[in-house]
Amino acid sequence: AQSVTQPDIHITVSEGASLELRCNYSYGATPYLFWYVQSPGQGLQLLLKYFSGDTLVQGIKGFEAEFKRSQSSFNLRKPSVHWSDAAEYFCAVEGGDNDMRFGAGTRLTVKP
Amino acid sequence: DAGVTQSPTHLIKTRGQHVTLRCSPISGHKSVSWYQQVLGQGPQFIFQYYEKEERGRGNFPDRFSARQFPNYSSELNVNALLLGDSALYLCASSPALRSINEQFFGPGTRLTVL
């Protein structure tokens, strides 16, 4: 079955600095890949998703992610972080069987 | 348009009790999925229902059950509650059976078991 690893439990960046959150997946074929954001006490909001085609995916709120098959990675990036980006970020994988697996999450803190 | 709604927002129960959580999907969505999110972890898939039938089940004990109604709303039931059932329970809806990749999440129900 597919699985997801988010190596960083907590990341702190300064406002205006660039951000990269790591995600590695395990799956035999090319899966569907997702990044979600969760603010405290809230549900999950989809930032972006990758199914096929262009390996650089643009999402909402200025986020992008790049699918690298050779590294089994789907890292999330943002050129300039805003204080409102502080939240928990989850990478997820789905193998076309409706079984979506989430990583443990990366908590982002933004310093003024 | 209303998004996915869940009720109640918060719930406190004691061990051994039973709980029912409710979810209303986005209008036009026929599939509802339930997830359990324990503090500090990512969501874990419990069930998917489509057209009132169970179409997927995660690795959860039989104490967990669910159903879907003709209006596509859904209930998650948990019997004989354990302390470890304390979690945020998320409901997600999607348009069709094979559309988990288009699902939208509700705000969740926070269950505390004492």
Side-chain angles (χ1 to χ4, degrees):
Chain A
Q2 58 269 28
S3 65
V4 176
T5 302
Q6 293 181 248
D8 305 305
I9 296 173
H10 183 208
I11 284 183
T12 299
V13 300
S14 298
E15 190 169 16
S18 64
L19 170 70
E20 182 169 25
L21 302 182
R22 296 185 291 165
C23 172
N24 295 100
Y25 69 90
S26 174
Y27 186 65
T30 299
Y32 298 150
L33 295 161
F34 309 81
W35 274 100
Y36 287 89
V37 61
Q38 185 177 39
S39 297
Q42 302 295 313
L44 299 172
Q45 181 182 22
L46 179 67
L47 288 175
L48 47 80
K49 56 187 177 183
Y50 172 79
F51 294 161
S52 63
D54 192 346
T55 57
L56 186 62
V57 181
Q58 300 298 320
I60 63 171
K61 302 184 179 186
F63 286 93
E64 66 178 26
E66 185 172 11
F67 170 63
K68 292 186 177 180
R69 185 192 306 273
S70 61
Q71 298 177 19
S72 297
S73 68
F74 189 57
N75 294 349
L76 182 72
R77 301 193 295 248
K78 186 170 185 178
S80 178
V81 170
H82 188 262
W83 64 266
S84 60
D85 293 325
E88 188 92 19
Y89 290 80
F90 293 94
C91 182
V93 59
E94 195 256 323
D97 57 357
N98 279 359
D99 183 3
M100 182 174 277
R101 303 290 178 98
F102 287 83
T106 297
R107 181 161 62 92
L108 174 65
T109 298
V110 181
K111 293 191 301 184
Chain B
D1 290 337
V4 178
T5 59
Q6 294 185 243
S7 63
T9 305
H10 295 87
L11 203 52
I12 299 175
K13 293 285 189 179
T14 57
R15 281 177 296 174
Q17 285 189 311
H18 162 271
V19 68
T20 297
L21 310 181
R22 296 177 175 83
C23 172
S24 292
I26 290 172
S27 177
H29 283 193
K30 298 182 178 181
S31 174
V32 170
S33 297
W34 287 94
Y35 294 81
Q36 180 195 64
Q37 186 178 14
V38 173
L39 193 64
Q41 297 182 21
Q44 189 172 359
F45 173 71
I46 308 175
F47 287 112
Q48 184 197 15
Y49 272 77
Y50 176 74
E51 294 285 8
K52 297 178 289 182
E53 291 188 7
E54 181 183 307
R55 298 303 189 108
R57 186 185 182 107
N59 187 24
F60 280 82
D62 292 343
R63 299 185 296 107
F64 288 77
S65 64
R67 56 179 177 168
Q68 187 178 32
F69 300 97
N71 66 354
Y72 303 109
S73 67
S74 177
E75 286 181 353
L76 175 69
N77 296 284
V78 187
N79 294 321
L81 284 168
L82 303 174
L83 295 179
D85 295 331
S86 295
L88 180 68
Y89 288 85
L90 296 166
C91 171
S93 76
S94 56
L97 175 61
R98 295 290 178 192
S99 62
I100 209 84
N101 48 67
E102 298 176 55
Q103 64 184 351
F104 291 86
F105 283 84
T109 293
R110 172 71 63 186
L111 172 65
T112 301
V113 182
L114 303 176

